Amino acid sequence: MFVTVSLLLVILCVQGGHGEGREEAQRPGHVSVVIVGATGDLAKKYLWKGFFQLYVNQVSRGNTFSFYGGGLSPADKATPLFFEILKAVSCPKDVSQERCALLKEQFLRLSQYRQLKTLEHYQDLAKRIEKHHQDEGMTEAGRLFYLSVPAFAYADIADKINNSCRPTGGAWLRVVLEKPFGHDFASAQVLASQLESSLREQEMYRIDHYLGKQVIAKILPFRIENKKFLDPIWNRHHIERVEIVLKETLDVKGRIPFYDQYGVIRDVIQNHLTEVMMLLTMRLPLNLSSSEEVARNKLRILSSVLPLVKTQAVIGQYRAYKSEVQQELNKTKGHVSLTPTFAAVLAHIDEAQYEGVPVLFISGKMLDERVGYARILFRNDVFCLQSHDSVHCKPKQIVFHFGHGSLRYPAILVSKNLFKPVSTDGEWKEVTEHSDVNVLGLPVSDYYVQTPTEQREAYEELIPHIFAGHKNSFISTENLLASWALWTPLLNSLDSSFPLIYPGGADNGDLLDVRLTGKDISYSSEVVIISPDQMGGASANGFQVIQGKFRNAEMVSAWAEELLEQLAADVQEAAEAALRESGVFHLALSGGSTPLALFHRLALHHFSFPWRDTHVWMVDERCVPLTEPESNFNALHNHLLQHVRIPYFNIHPMPVQLNHRLCVEEDRGAQLYEKELGKLVNGSSFHFVLLGAGYDGHTASLFPGAEVGELGESLVALTESPAKPHQRMSLTFSAINRAHRVALLVMGKGKHELITQLSRVQDNQGKWPVTGVKPAPGRLVWYIDYDALLG
Ligand code: BG6
């Protein structure tokens, strides 16, 4: 039913001021709470306590409640256990024993267990709820379903709820879901679309319990309250580094069937720590209670995180994990799992405010202590010669201390050499009595410390938000998918990487310390210990870069990723050499899809590349406006130029459009480019030219059959392509062969045939234009990946 009227509902919702992300108005009435998975661990430990607390707080505020515990077991079997759990629920601290006993009795009377397995069970539940309303003459406020069940059951339960349990007459429906929300981008997308066929976005509450932790929930309010102090320093000029850390001492024994498929990045980094990163770096919302604005700003910052590649992560696995896996998954002694139980990932955000600021995510099991925190470490530009103990010499930092650790309580700590934070929130207080502990290198007395007046569990915080329809602390579909889009490529690239084996606990010593070098991260202990049995049968040699000869020129070959790494390093080396010699680097780049991966790599490592003194030229261009997606310049702009700090004056697109027309000989575009080249590039000799090779043997836009050898001395010419758009502008062999260095990049299985042919044929520019690339006295290097080389 929902599916057919969903469009109408969306229109009504928007028109009625009830749109996506806006909080639903609370009308008093009867609320039915249904926990599916009512006797499971989570429900037992947190959920019933949270809902009892909700009941205690709401009972005098005009709402009435019914509580249903649902599960697969029949009612006669599960009911005793269900009531045992409910009876054991503790009382809120601020309620007297007597009052609590009374309320508990009422709570038990309002609760019942129901088997929820088949559609009929859900239909019966709906009938029961409706009859209850009729019998008691109550208005319905809403229905809250909390799915505390494995994620594979979500789609089916959501479908049953949609088919049988939707309230009518303007009451709300809210369905709460617990992670995991997928395993990677594709599976998260499938789950999201399954859920979307049953539930509206505003009805779904995806829980990330970290958003209910008091310190994390306070990050945005803290940033707003202290805006006047933070605005001048919350940027790349002052922030040295951001660290988001979750250290745990426990292992994952008992959870291996789940954990072995997920690992630490999926388990806590993709969700909990990423949420913290967004709260720390997102643009502050004008209206903190607008979940729409908060979600939008979060999405924006998440989308600005630069793509993560393998060199930006290190992974580890605690030593005993292997045997735990063998035991819990019934595997043989030889079985090896590569699942990481520890990871450190270095990210960067592509926003001017945070350019170059390392954002470090770290989490692991079996570490030396249990602690969670986010630290903003500021630069300290004071050089202390002798007075190391004075306050201005000490680290300047803000620590959002989620809990545990040596401090033992949740707190926000601001080092005293920064500023004294303000708090307008009565639920937080300043701590002035300090125990003798250190927090991240500073005695706690060197900080201004704020802590919640009353400590509450994450679920106690989140359940009232669900009840109130506040969506701020929950994950929207769009943000969930954006987070997976960020993490999935990294997860894929780490798929067959060997984790560093660590002993666990204090014995880890400095083994898991990491070093940040530019964009990359590595273990700081140089020797990576991989025990032979962890290696299984794989050989580490498969990943080498090899040097050889191809068509009498130099050749570098490797798997794609390593090949691009080598090529990027060679471009950089050429740039640095050119700068030393002439103070400027002239680089000509070709179009097509092969160089895009190199562009990404150059964009990722742009911090260390001398873009300021680099001039970028085009090897060739298609005769289309530069704003069109087919334009080579357009691709170069989107994949590289917009990500690097290169002066506009150093960018030289080809003038294919002059006098409002494209590539007309009389407009003399080619000559114009040649003139510019002659004026700026010494001897018209580029320092580096990047070329590709087409299946038909073309290079630049010099195609077989065309009279490419007859372009004489011209450096730039209009040429014809067999593919659309037919007209091109291209550097000629005269220009290419004057370069100091030429790289010919050939990648992918599809090019294997070409490489085989090229390895056999004689030079023949007319038939195989690429064979005409012979820089003299420059150097030609072929970069051919293993797929193209070996097929
Ligand atoms: C859970 C993870 O989401 O978060 C666990 O599945 C992890 O592996 C836990 O231990 C950490 O939460 P907290 O609240 O104990 O820091």
Side-chain angles (χ1 to χ4, degrees):
M1 174 199 83
F2 167 68
V3 178
T4 48
V5 296
S6 60
L7 183 61
L8 183 63
L9 279 175
V10 169
I11 295 166
L12 289 175
C13 286
V14 171
Q15 289 173 345
H18 203 253
E20 220 45 82
R22 239 163 277 163
E23 327 294 34
E24 287 169 295
Q26 281 298 108
R27 73 166 187 207
H30 190 76
V31 178
S32 306
V33 173
V34 186
I35 301 185
V36 189
T39 54
D41 264 0
L42 184 75
K44 216 188 294 183
K45 234 168 134 180
Y46 300 112
L47 302 184
W48 287 116
K49 182 175 168 201
F51 280 105
F52 178 50
Q53 179 120 15
L54 177 78
Y55 175 66
V56 170
N57 293 338
Q58 290 297 327
V59 72
S60 54
R61 298 192 189 168
N63 284 107
T64 55
F65 289 87
S66 304
F67 297 94
Y68 301 93
L72 296 176
S73 312
D76 53 342
K77 267 213 184 127
T79 298
L81 171 63
F82 172 68
F83 279 105
E84 226 173 85
I85 295 170
L86 260 54
K87 278 182 203 153
V89 164
S90 59
C91 286
K93 282 188 208 97
D94 52 350
V95 178
S96 72
Q97 290 275 328
E98 261 176 357
R99 185 167 141 72
C100 180
L102 192 75
L103 289 169
K104 180 74 101 34
E105 215 182 289
Q106 290 173 2
F107 182 62
L108 294 175
R109 251 188 290 124
L110 297 171
S111 303
Q112 63 168 267
Y113 178 88
R114 299 187 71 91
Q115 185 177 23
L116 290 179
K117 199 171 177 180
T118 62
L119 181 61
E120 289 71 48
H121 291 142
Y122 281 85
Q123 285 164 341
D124 289 347
L125 171 67
K127 277 185 208 142
R128 147 82 208 188
I129 293 174
E130 276 139 33
K131 181 161 186 324
H132 187 57
H133 296 150
Q134 276 166 15
D135 290 352
E136 306 283 327
M138 294 184 298
T139 313
E140 180 170 26
R143 300 180 191 184
L144 192 164
F145 286 81
Y146 200 118
L147 310 195
S148 179
V149 295
F152 66 77
Y154 286 168
D156 178 49
I157 298 179
D159 185 46
K160 291 192 173 101
I161 293 173
N162 178 37
N163 279 315
S164 58
C165 294
R166 285 197 160 271
T168 49
W172 48 256
L173 170 69
R174 292 176 195 149
V175 179
V176 189
L177 306 153
E178 282 279 344
K179 80 175 179 64
F181 309 119
H183 180 264
D184 55 13
F185 181 76
S187 55
Q189 209 172 23
V190 169
L191 178 61
S193 64
Q194 285 171 337
L195 289 171
E196 266 166 19
S197 65
S198 305
L199 301 169
R200 279 184 265 157
E201 179 71 20
Q202 75 192 78
E203 292 170 340
M204 283 187 267
Y205 286 68
R206 286 193 193 83
I207 291 244
D208 182 314
H209 80 279
Y210 263 55
L211 293 180
K213 288 191 184 265
Q214 287 168 298
V215 168
I216 295 172
K218 179 75 178 170
I219 295 177
L220 284 184
F222 173 88
R223 288 182 56 196
I224 292 170
E225 285 163 347
N226 292 287
K227 198 167 176 322
K228 68 168 185 274
F229 303 118
L230 294 175
D231 268 356
I233 59 171
W234 208 254
N235 56 53
R236 67 192 173 101
H237 301 294
H238 293 86
I239 300 177
E240 169 101 35
R241 189 167 71 227
V242 177
E243 299 161 8
I244 305 164
V245 179
L246 168 58
K247 288 169 69 179
E248 298 187 278
T249 48
L250 289 182
D251 55 18
V252 282
K253 239 187 263 168
R255 294 176 73 202
I256 300 265
F258 158 80
Y259 199 89
D260 200 48
Q261 290 184 41
Y262 283 78
V264 65
I265 297 181
R266 292 182 172 91
D267 187 36
V268 298
I269 299 183
Q270 173 274 324
N271 37 60
H272 305 330
L273 302 197
T274 303
E275 286 297 324
V276 174
M277 183 277 292
M278 289 189 273
L279 293 171
L280 291 172
T281 53
M282 66 189 266
R283 182 186 288 178
L284 288 177
L286 297 174
N287 176 3
L288 191 51
S289 50
S290 158
S291 52
E292 216 172 30
E293 194 189 354
V294 171
R296 205 171 42 236
N297 293 4
K298 275 186 172 181
L299 183 63
R300 194 187 140 140
I301 201 75
L302 190 55
S303 320
S304 311
V305 178
L306 287 165
L308 296 167
V309 296
K310 211 169 162 182
T311 48
Q312 285 166 263
V314 291
I315 52 173
Q317 187 187 83
Y318 65 82
R319 190 175 285 146
Y321 184 78
K322 186 178 136 191
S323 57
E324 287 167 12
V325 168
Q326 289 167 1
Q327 223 169 28
E328 284 187 39
L329 300 183
N330 254 333
K331 300 282 184 188
T332 58
K333 276 265 165 266
H335 177 80
V336 172
S337 162
L338 297 180
T339 302
T341 59
F342 170 85
V345 183
L346 177 61
H348 281 90
I349 298 172
D350 188 17
E351 292 248 332
Q353 188 178 1
Y354 302 114
E355 193 185 316
V357 175
V359 180
L360 187 60
F361 296 90
I362 299 198
S363 184
K365 303 282 181 190
M366 290 285 278
L367 302 183
D368 58 330
E369 62 169 342
R370 180 179 184 194
V371 65
Y373 65 86
R375 157 158 85 156
I376 317 294
L377 177 66
F378 292 89
R379 291 180 209 280
N380 195 343
D381 49 11
V382 176
F383 173 71
C384 294
L385 192 61
Q386 293 194 3
S387 52
H388 294 287
D389 284 340
S390 70
V391 75
H392 63 270
C393 304
K394 296 189 176 178
K396 286 182 175 180
Q397 55 197 22
I398 300 178
V399 182
F400 296 91
H401 191 271
F402 315 150
H404 309 289
S406 52
L407 195 60
R408 294 180 188 282
Y409 56 88
I412 300 179
L413 304 101
V414 179
S415 59
K416 285 188 174 161
N417 51 10
L418 275 175
F419 58 88
K420 185 169 172 21
V422 289
S423 175
T424 49
D425 181 342
E427 302 213 337
W428 282 68
K429 62 178 183 200
E430 202 184 328
V431 183
T432 45
E433 303 274 296
H434 297 304
S435 51
D436 185 20
V437 291
N438 263 273
V439 177
L440 300 173
L442 280 183
V444 72
S445 53
D446 278 354
Y447 291 101
Y448 296 111
V449 183
Q450 296 181 338
T451 190
T453 44
E454 190 195 318
Q455 282 183 41
R456 280 194 295 270
E457 299 274 7
Y459 285 94
E460 286 173 51
E461 289 280 300
L462 292 175
I463 288 170
H465 287 308
I466 304 166
F467 175 72
H470 294 158
K471 293 216 74 180
N472 264 352
S473 317
F474 303 89
I475 316 295
S476 68
T477 306
E478 209 178 359
N479 284 24
L480 172 73
L481 294 178
S483 173
W484 277 119
L486 170 67
W487 290 103
T488 303
L490 177 70
L491 286 162
N492 290 342
S493 74
L494 292 171
D495 228 10
S496 48
S497 299
F498 293 101
L500 168 69
I501 305 302
Y502 58 96
D507 290 346
N508 295 333
D510 59 6
L511 194 62
L512 299 177
D513 292 352
V514 290
R515 170 174 293 135
L516 314 185
T517 323
K519 294 281 292 176
D520 295 347
I521 189 169
S522 53
Y523 284 117
S524 67
S525 48
E526 293 295 326
V527 199
V528 175
I529 306 159
I530 302 169
S531 56
D533 58 331
Q534 288 289 334
M535 290 272 299
S539 145
N541 296 335
F543 302 103
Q544 273 177 5
V545 175
I546 58 166
Q547 313 265 342
K549 287 260 168 209
F550 186 73
R551 293 189 60 82
N552 288 327
E554 289 173 61
M555 178 192 71
V556 174
S557 192
W559 290 114
E561 204 177 310
E562 283 75 16
L563 184 73
L564 291 169
E565 195 172 316
Q566 183 65 51
L567 176 51
D570 291 347
V571 177
Q572 175 139 6
E573 189 197 287
E576 280 156 9
L579 288 191
R580 279 195 301 275
E581 222 168 84
S582 55
V584 63
F585 177 54
H586 288 285
L587 172 67
L589 295 170
S590 77
S593 57
T594 308
L596 295 184
L598 176 71
F599 297 167
H600 285 170
R601 196 159 171 108
L602 291 171
L604 277 170
H605 292 259
H606 70 99
F607 302 99
S608 53
F609 195 94
W611 286 111
R612 214 182 38 171
D613 301 310
T614 297
H615 280 252
V616 172
W617 301 82
M618 302 302 295
V619 163
D620 61 337
E621 183 54 282
R622 293 148 191 246
C623 293
V624 295
L626 301 186
T627 46
E628 295 292 313
E630 300 92 73
S631 151
N632 288 343
F633 181 75
N634 192 286
L636 179 65
H637 169 267
N638 291 347
H639 295 274
L640 177 64
L641 297 178
Q642 66 165 340
H643 303 294
V644 303
R645 286 187 151 230
I646 181 165
Y648 300 135
F649 313 105
N650 293 8
I651 301 175
H652 308 279
M654 281 180 158
V656 286
Q657 193 171 25
L658 291 167
N659 302 322
H660 306 290
R661 48 194 197 171
L662 290 162
C663 295
V664 174
E665 200 73 65
E666 301 97 77
D667 291 336
R668 302 184 60 77
Q671 288 79 358
L672 209 65
Y673 205 57
E674 183 166 333
K675 210 164 146 200
E676 196 178 346
L677 188 61
K679 206 165 68 189
L680 294 173
V681 184
N682 189 12
S684 301
S685 303
F686 292 113
H687 293 111
F688 201 108
V689 175
L690 172 72
L691 297 176
Y695 299 105
D696 57 357
H698 80 262
T699 192
S701 278
L702 305 170
F703 291 90
E707 305 306 317
V708 292
E710 293 171 15
L711 298 168
E713 288 300 295
S714 342
L715 302 180
V716 188
L718 289 178
T719 63
E720 284 290 322
S721 152
K724 279 196 170 162
H726 298 307
Q727 271 195 306
R728 309 286 178 102
M729 188 179 285
S730 178
L731 296 185
T732 64
F733 286 119
S734 301
I736 292 169
N737 288 338
R738 265 170 214 236
H740 296 268
R741 191 161 167 167
V742 179
L744 252 161
L745 176 62
V746 188
M747 290 170 65
K749 279 201 171 56
K751 294 273 170 77
H752 178 58
E753 181 75 26
L754 171 75
I755 288 296
T756 313
Q757 279 170 328
L758 286 178
S759 67
R760 294 186 193 135
V761 299
Q762 301 288 321
D763 290 354
N764 181 344
Q765 258 181 39
K767 197 154 179 230
W768 302 96
V770 68
T771 62
V773 179
K774 287 190 165 293
R779 190 171 149 210
L780 166 66
V781 182
W782 290 81
Y783 293 83
I784 308 176
D785 76 348
Y786 286 155
D787 281 335
L789 191 68
L790 310 171

